[in-house]
């Protein structure tokens, strides 16, 4: 998933430039209208698995797409709170890099550009979050999450060229009053509280309000002030559903989420050069540098607050056998910063690095859905999207440089014998202000031509227009001698029309076995390189075009209660949008890499084969590599024998062609299982276990043995008792049961070379980087 300029990514890029320049939803009742999406039944061993991947309710077995389904019950039992936590539950979904970016089958990347969007679409109750998808709402009171693999642009639009995370919340139920509560209390000051109330307003209307409070397990201790990094989330959501007449359904929704991330350090150093200033300063603070280090020492603070909220209205009207759907939505996101020290030590190398951002989106979708089982089943529609972003990027510190000549020489201290010091730290910094607008128009449709009861042809298309404009201006901060980044103005726009499509075929070998094959030409919209305005850097980032083929087989067993699927895929992406080093400009830019390819096999097994037993297994083999001609900066320590080339004085690059994609493991396996049985009378006992295995991950497009994650398997589990009607339950759980340390991401330490350390790496530890043990309580009335 493409990210906006975050305060952490901004410094990661800026400091590197300076360094080179200077030193399952099981068994649910299918609704006659797409807007009525209900919660999973707790233990129904007779019903099919229902999904809405094609914007209509269908059996998972019938959908010609590779899909991982995670039910709401599994989300609770795996202590999943945020969208990024879903990487523990589905093999195709991963983090593409630092700070929450997502990828599916390896495709996804980060971006410093404000006008860019991600490759992985996040959709909540039919509303695409678009450029606010890096800060989605918390996951609570969820009916199911569907992870759709491969390009999904025909139905889901411009920001789904790698796939879609399709989230469905629990709909209001007019047939019952209901109060649900859940609480987790665990080690490392980990707390979760959730509450839901369902209120019947009338026989045909209901209101559902849900709230969540969470404090993720503490990590990344700051020895300077004795604080841990804490991520606290507070969310509320309301849904109102009304059926004024049999042929009309109205769904209204609103939500608000706030995350306060503060304390500790933004990252910790796991490798540094012995004897360097960086190593000395860390040692003086008591930090022991090593591969499992989760301690830092900063004096400038670390605090970020993000707020996201939105409103939506969906109307579904039955017109004859057709369903006409209208979805209107408004989404907004705001971020503020109270402390952003990113130099790893208690000195002011770059203590201020802030990027407050404000985004507002409006979208409107009209959709017409045919009934099924005719000669042609279809979904057609129109889509409009308008977005406005305003943000600033402030960086300020005292950067080490060669100031022996020019006006700054007078400010440098004298060397022992008179002349100015060769290297001294002087104030630098700038404020960049960016405004970006995006407008999209599209017509889309999917159709299934039923040639015979067992053979179908598949067609899908989307025709649209993208208008993207961005403007950035910059000024030096008061007292600064120069900027960390360029303050040259940037102003550019691009207007593009596109046509994406999907064709395929589907064949029912038997009632329970289905074969399918599809080819998709996808599309990811253009953007502006709006954060770098020097030299001859291209301002326009061209559209990214995937060409994806997939063949698969799906099979049902146990009367449809268990669905297995296996798919082989190949995807070639032209003009891959990426952050990379441009040797002609001598700077890192957001632009187009020539090509990348992913190919492999995915497997999923989902369902309840017998009463009391729940299974959700998945595996992915993915050979994902960059194409030739993708020049990136050499990794720290990379030698000529390892592919590092000098193309100009002081400019070294590596042709990443053939290297594995950043953040894309070759193998990933996820497993979840639960077994419940009656112990006595009205009391059930249950035991649950889960596992996520990920092979080695590269975090640098260049050859970098140090900047990787070793293979690891992380286990979790839960054991408990509950009443048969699930009114009361208590359980004990463990996350990362065997306390296996595995960081979320690794990267070259920002500002390390400003502290005379040429070979330092840092890492970010996540909630599961250490073991957590706790107790869960559940009530339902």
């Amino acid at each position: 998933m493409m990210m906006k300029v975050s305060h952490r990514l901004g410094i990661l890029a800026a400091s590197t430039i300076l360094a080179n320049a200077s030193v399952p939803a099981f068994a649910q009742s299918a609704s006659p209208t797409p807007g009525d999406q209900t919660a999973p039944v707790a233990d129904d061993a007779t019903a099919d698995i229902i999904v809405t991947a094609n914007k209509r309710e269908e059996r998972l077995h019938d959908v010609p797409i590779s899909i991982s389904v995670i039910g709401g019950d599994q989300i609770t039992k795996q202590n999943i709170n945020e969208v990024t936590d879903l990487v523990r539950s589905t093999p195709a979904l991963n983090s593409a890099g630092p700070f929450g970016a997502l990828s599916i089958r390896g495709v996804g990347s980060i971006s410093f550009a404000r006008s860019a969007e991600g490759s992985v679409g996040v959709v909540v109750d039919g509303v695409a979050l678009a450029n606010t998808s890096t800060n989605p709402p918390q996951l609570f009171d969820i009916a199911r999450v569907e992870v759709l693999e491969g390009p999904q642009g025909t139905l889901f639009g411009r920001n789904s060229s790698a796939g879609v995370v399709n989230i469905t919340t629990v709909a209001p139920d007019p047939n019952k009053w209901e109060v649900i509560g859940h609480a987790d209390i665990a080690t490392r000051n980990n707390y979760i509280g959730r509450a839901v109330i369902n209120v019947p307003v009338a026989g045909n209307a209901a209101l559902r309000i849900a709230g969540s409070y969470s404090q993720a397990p503490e990590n990344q201790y700051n020895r300077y002030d004795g604080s841990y990094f804490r991520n606290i989330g507070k969310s509320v959501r309301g849904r109102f559903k009304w059926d004024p007449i049999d042929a009309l359904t109205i769904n209204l929704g609103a939500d608000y989420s706030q995350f306060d991330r503060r304390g500790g350090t933004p990252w910790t150093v796991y490798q540094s050069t012995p004897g360097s200033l960086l190593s000395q300063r860390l040692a003086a603070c008591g930090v022991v540098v090593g591969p499992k280090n989760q301690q830092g020492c900063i004096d400038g603070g670390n605090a970020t607050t993000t707020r996201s909220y939105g409103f939506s209205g969906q109307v579904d009207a039955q017109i004859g056998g057709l369903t006409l759907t209208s979805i209107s939505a408004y989404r907004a996101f705001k971020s503020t910063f109270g402390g952003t020290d990113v130099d790893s030590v208690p000195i002011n190398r770059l203590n201020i690095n802030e990027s407050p951002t404000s985004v507002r989106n409006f979208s409107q979708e009209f959709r017409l859905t045919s009934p099924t089982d005719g000669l042609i089943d279809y979904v057609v529609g129109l889509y409009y999207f308008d977005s406005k972003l305003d943000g600033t990027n402030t960086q300020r510190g005292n950067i080490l440089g060669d100031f022996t000549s020019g006006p700054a020489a007078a400010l440098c201290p004298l060397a022992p014998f008179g002349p100015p010091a060769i290297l001294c730290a002087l104030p630098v910094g700038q404020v960049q202000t960016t405004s970006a607008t995006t407008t999209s128009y599209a017509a889309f449709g999917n159709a299934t031509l039923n040639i015979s009861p067992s053979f179908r042809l598949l067609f899908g298309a989307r025709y649209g227009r993208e208008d993207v404009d961005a403007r950035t201006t910059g000024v030096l901060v008061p007292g600064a001698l120069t900027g960390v980044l360029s303050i040259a103005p940037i102003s550019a726009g691009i207007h593009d029309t596109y046509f994406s499509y999907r064709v395929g075929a589907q064949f029912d070998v038997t009632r329970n076995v289905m074969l399918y094959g599809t080819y998709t030409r996808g599309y990811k919209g253009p953007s502006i390189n709006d954060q770098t305005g020097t030299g001859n850097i291209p301002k326009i980032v061209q559209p990214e075009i995937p060409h994806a083929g997939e063949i698969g087989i799906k099979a049902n067993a146990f009367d449809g209660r268990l669905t297995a699927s296996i798919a082989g895929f190949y995807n070639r992406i032209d003009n891959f949008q990426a952050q990379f080093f441009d040797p002609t400009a001598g700077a890192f830019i957001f632009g187009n890499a020539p090509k990348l390819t992913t190919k492999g096999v995915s497997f999923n097994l989902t369902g309840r084969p017998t009463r009391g037993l729940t299974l959700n297994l998945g595996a992915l083999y993915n050979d994902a590599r960059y194409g030739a001609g993708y020049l990136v900066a050499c990794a720290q320590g990379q030698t000529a024998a390892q592919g590092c080339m000098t193309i100009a004085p002081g400019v070294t690059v590596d042709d990443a062609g053939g290297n594995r994609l950043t953040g894309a493991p070759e193998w990933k396996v996820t497993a979840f299982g639960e077994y419940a049985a009656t112990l006595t009378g009205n009391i059930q006992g249950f035991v649950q276990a889960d596992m996520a295995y990920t092979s080695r991950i590269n975090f640098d497009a260049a050859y970098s043995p140090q900047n990787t994650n070793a293979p690891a398997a992380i286990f979790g589990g839960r054991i408990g008792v509950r009443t048969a009607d699930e009114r009361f339950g208590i359980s004990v759980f463990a996350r990362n049961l065997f306390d296996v340390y595995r960081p979320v991401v690794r990267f070259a330490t920002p500002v390390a070379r400003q502290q005379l350390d040429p070979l330092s790496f840092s890492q970010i530890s996540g909630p599961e980087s250490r073991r957590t043990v706790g107790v869960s309580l559940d009530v339902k009335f």
Side-chain angles (χ1 to χ4, degrees):
M1 179 179 295
M2 198 74 67
M3 294 186 64
K4 302 302 170 203
V5 181
S6 74
H7 67 291
R8 296 168 181 169
L9 282 176
I11 180 56
L12 190 60
S15 59
T16 308
I17 296 170
L18 283 169
N20 283 279
S22 59
V23 260
F26 305 110
Q28 69 177 22
S29 56
S31 161
T33 65
D36 185 10
Q37 299 156 330
T38 57
V41 177
D43 191 9
D44 183 343
T46 61
D48 291 310
I49 301 166
I50 304 299
V51 296
T52 54
N54 281 328
K55 297 200 173 183
R56 67 162 82 229
E57 292 191 341
E58 299 172 285
R59 296 190 309 164
L60 175 62
H61 168 268
D62 295 332
V63 181
I65 303 170
S66 184
I67 307 173
S68 296
V69 183
I70 307 100
D73 191 52
Q74 179 180 340
I75 286 172
T76 299
K77 288 188 169 68
Q78 283 196 269
N79 304 87
I80 291 172
N81 283 309
E82 301 183 41
V83 170
T84 52
D85 294 336
L86 291 169
V87 300
R88 299 193 258 116
S89 301
T90 176
L93 189 69
N94 282 289
S95 171
F99 323 121
L102 295 175
S103 69
I104 291 180
R105 290 179 176 173
V107 180
S109 59
I110 58 175
S111 168
F112 306 160
R114 301 286 184 117
S115 56
E117 287 192 22
S119 302
V120 176
V122 179
V123 178
V124 180
D125 290 334
V127 177
L129 302 189
N131 53 5
T132 64
S133 62
T134 52
N135 294 275
Q138 287 183 289
L139 296 176
F140 60 98
D141 200 32
I142 298 297
R144 66 180 175 276
V145 176
E146 306 162 18
V147 178
L148 316 182
E149 303 173 20
Q152 305 295 327
T154 56
L155 286 179
F156 290 96
R158 73 189 299 269
N159 64 333
S160 58
S161 59
V164 167
V165 178
N166 189 26
I167 301 168
T168 300
T169 66
V170 179
D173 186 347
N175 298 313
K176 61 181 178 182
W177 281 84
E178 189 171 48
V179 177
I180 302 171
H182 172 85
D184 290 343
I185 304 173
T187 56
R188 299 169 56 201
N189 283 318
N190 175 210
Y191 306 104
I192 296 174
R194 297 171 180 164
V196 179
I197 181 169
N198 187 90
V199 181
V201 177
N204 60 352
L207 174 68
R208 191 177 185 93
I209 299 175
S212 175
Y213 173 88
S214 67
Q215 180 171 294
E218 295 175 327
N219 58 66
Q220 295 179 178
Y221 179 69
N222 184 8
R223 296 186 64 88
Y224 183 83
D225 62 10
S227 67
Y228 280 97
F229 174 73
R230 291 184 176 181
N231 182 7
I232 299 173
K234 293 168 282 189
S235 300
V236 64
R237 178 174 59 244
R239 287 190 61 182
F240 177 74
K241 177 178 176 289
W242 179 34
D243 298 302
I245 59 176
D246 289 342
L248 184 66
T249 298
I250 298 173
N251 275 280
L252 304 178
D255 67 272
Y256 175 88
S257 295
Q258 176 175 319
F259 287 96
D260 295 297
R261 301 174 176 94
R262 60 188 68 250
T265 63
W267 48 67
T268 56
V269 177
Y270 76 86
Q271 179 178 318
S272 62
T273 305
S276 70
L277 278 177
L278 176 63
S279 296
Q280 293 175 36
R281 288 164 175 161
L282 290 171
C285 203
V287 175
V288 179
V289 175
K292 296 183 180 181
N293 176 37
Q294 298 177 65
Q295 296 188 357
C297 189
I298 60 171
D299 63 337
N302 180 44
T304 303
T305 297
T306 60
R307 299 176 178 87
S308 62
Y309 54 93
F311 313 91
S312 66
Q314 177 171 339
V315 178
D316 297 284
Q318 302 293 319
I319 304 174
L322 302 175
T323 301
L324 178 63
T325 299
S326 169
I327 304 177
S328 306
Y330 174 86
R331 300 293 310 173
F333 165 79
K334 294 182 179 180
S335 64
T336 57
F337 296 82
T340 51
D341 185 349
V342 293
D343 52 33
S344 302
V345 292
I347 63 168
N348 184 10
R349 276 293 167 265
L350 206 55
N351 275 15
I352 302 298
N353 191 63
E354 302 173 345
S355 297
T357 303
S358 174
V359 182
R360 67 109 183 106
N361 297 335
F362 172 76
S363 63
Q364 175 63 54
E365 179 175 346
F366 293 106
R367 193 167 68 233
L368 190 65
T369 305
S370 75
T372 57
D373 299 326
L375 176 62
I376 301 178
D377 304 335
Y378 61 85
V379 177
V380 296
L382 299 172
Y383 184 76
Y384 170 78
F385 174 79
D386 181 77
S387 175
K388 180 71 167 65
L389 177 147
D390 293 292
T392 61
N393 179 24
T394 301
Q395 295 176 313
R396 185 167 69 243
N398 297 292
I399 295 298
L400 198 66
D402 181 354
F403 299 108
T404 56
S405 61
L411 301 178
C412 286
L414 295 179
F417 301 102
I422 294 176
L423 294 175
C424 64
L426 292 177
V428 299
Q430 80 290 319
V431 179
Q432 292 178 306
T433 301
T434 301
S435 295
T437 60
T438 301
T439 305
S440 299
Y441 316 82
F444 63 89
N446 262 18
T448 300
L449 179 61
N450 298 296
I451 302 297
S452 72
S454 60
F455 182 67
R456 296 172 288 283
L457 295 179
L458 312 171
F459 304 94
R462 191 179 191 97
Y463 179 79
R465 176 184 170 92
E466 300 287 321
D467 297 332
V468 184
D469 294 275
R471 176 179 174 81
T472 297
T473 58
V475 296
L476 295 179
V477 298
L481 298 177
T482 186
V484 180
L485 297 176
S486 168
I487 59 173
I490 304 168
S491 181
I494 181 171
H495 312 286
D496 186 51
T497 58
Y498 67 92
F499 179 71
S500 58
Y501 60 87
R502 170 178 290 180
V503 295
Q506 189 175 355
F507 178 65
D508 295 332
V509 180
T510 68
R511 180 181 179 275
N512 292 311
V513 179
M514 183 266 285
L515 298 173
Y516 71 91
T518 60
Y519 171 80
T520 303
R521 184 187 189 274
Y523 177 83
K524 180 182 175 184
S527 63
I528 311 301
N529 187 27
D530 52 44
Q531 297 299 298
T532 307
T534 60
N536 59 351
I537 296 174
K539 293 181 179 180
I540 303 301
V541 182
Q542 298 299 326
E544 175 181 295
I545 308 297
H547 307 266
E550 179 173 313
I551 56 173
I553 181 171
K554 293 189 175 185
N556 274 351
F558 299 95
D559 295 325
R561 299 188 303 271
L562 191 68
T563 298
S565 65
I566 186 169
F569 61 88
Y570 177 88
N571 187 7
R572 187 194 83 239
I573 299 178
D574 297 333
N575 279 336
F576 176 62
Q577 294 180 358
Q579 200 77 32
F580 66 98
F581 186 82
D582 185 342
T584 61
F588 287 92
I589 68 168
F590 178 53
N592 297 104
K595 183 185 299 183
L596 67 80
T597 59
T598 67
K599 54 182 183 290
V601 178
S602 64
F603 168 77
N604 289 285
L605 178 69
T606 307
R608 279 197 176 101
T610 61
R611 185 173 296 275
L613 178 62
T614 301
L615 296 174
N616 196 349
L617 312 175
L620 179 77
Y621 168 74
N622 185 23
D623 184 14
R625 300 183 184 275
Y626 295 105
Y630 180 34
L631 300 182
V632 298
C634 293
Q636 290 189 138
Q638 185 178 1
T639 66
Q642 296 169 336
C644 185
M645 304 176 291
T646 300
I647 61 173
V651 179
T652 58
V653 298
D654 178 16
D655 187 340
N659 291 352
R660 184 168 295 282
L661 264 64
T662 300
E666 185 176 19
W667 284 95
K668 186 176 177 187
V669 179
T670 60
F672 172 89
E674 180 188 276
Y675 181 73
T678 300
L679 298 179
T680 178
N682 190 41
I683 303 300
Q684 291 182 342
F686 63 93
V687 60
Q688 169 257 315
D690 61 85
M691 184 273 296
Y693 168 79
T694 308
S695 64
R696 183 176 300 277
I697 296 177
N698 295 334
F699 295 117
D700 197 323
Y703 178 82
S704 180
Q706 302 101 325
N707 201 4
T708 62
N709 234 350
I714 308 296
F715 289 84
R718 183 182 295 266
I719 186 169
V721 294
R722 64 192 176 212
T723 58
D725 58 6
E726 297 193 357
R727 280 179 166 267
F728 302 96
I730 184 170
S731 59
V732 177
F733 68 87
R735 304 301 318 157
N736 194 355
L737 181 62
F738 301 108
D739 204 22
V740 176
Y741 179 70
R742 196 167 198 265
V744 175
V745 66
R746 286 176 160 171
F747 47 88
T749 302
V751 202
R753 293 198 178 190
Q754 301 300 324
Q755 301 180 68
L756 306 183
D757 194 319
L759 195 62
S760 177
F761 292 91
S762 290
Q763 59 195 7
I764 295 177
S765 302
E768 295 225 336
S769 293
R770 293 161 50 202
R771 178 168 47 228
T772 304
V773 179
V775 177
S776 291
L777 302 173
D778 290 279
V779 296
K780 182 187 297 185
F781 300 100

